Amino acid sequence: MVIKDGVVHSAAFAQGNEPDFDTWLSQQLQFNEPHLDDDGFCERVMADLPPVPAKRAERRATRYQYAAVVAASAIVCWQFPLEQVLAAMAEQSISLYSLVGLGVLSSMAAMTGGILAARR
């Protein structure tokens, strides 16, 4: 092993017997192998692939995702025990505005995260 310019080389390199990497690579890439005929298999597979979805279909899917997030949020809000929460807040004299604001902000963050995750 020989270290030259901070690179470890084999003993053959030190003696000058090792070929240049570019030369070796070009020799390896130029070897000839017989072509394997696939009887048009690749062309048939490419023809059978579904077409690329149009932008219109993507927009429609995005609208459905937004609608699903809004519907899920509405169901959660509908099932939320608001009366019990308000009664508990009144008993503990917690600021109603701060809790409602915190709830709205967390709901918006969750919906935004869901929409962004659905778009990716």
Side-chain angles (χ1 to χ4, degrees):
M1 307 270 303
V2 176
I3 299 176
K4 184 177 179 182
D5 298 326
V7 178
V8 177
H9 300 284
S10 66
F13 179 80
Q15 297 171 359
N17 296 336
E18 191 168 323
D20 183 32
F21 177 74
D22 292 331
T23 305
W24 175 83
L25 183 60
S26 64
Q27 289 172 354
Q28 295 299 317
L29 292 176
Q30 290 180 3
F31 67 91
N32 292 326
E33 280 190 16
H35 175 70
L36 291 175
D37 188 24
D38 63 359
D39 293 327
F41 174 76
C42 292
E43 289 79 15
R44 288 192 307 271
V45 168
M46 294 302 288
D48 289 342
L49 289 176
V52 177
K55 293 287 184 184
R56 183 177 179 193
E58 289 178 14
R59 286 193 304 262
R60 186 179 323 125
T62 302
R63 284 189 216 127
Y64 288 139
Q65 290 169 351
Y66 286 138
V69 168
V70 169
S73 300
I75 291 171
V76 168
C77 289
W78 175 55
Q79 293 294 321
F80 189 72
L82 185 61
E83 293 175 11
Q84 294 173 358
V85 171
L86 291 176
M89 286 189 309
E91 289 175 3
Q92 297 178 5
S93 69
I94 298 173
S95 171
L96 175 65
Y97 294 115
S98 63
L99 286 177
V100 170
L102 181 64
V104 168
L105 286 175
S106 63
S107 299
M108 295 300 284
M111 285 189 286
T112 303
I115 290 171
L116 291 176
R119 293 189 72 178
R120 293 185 181 164

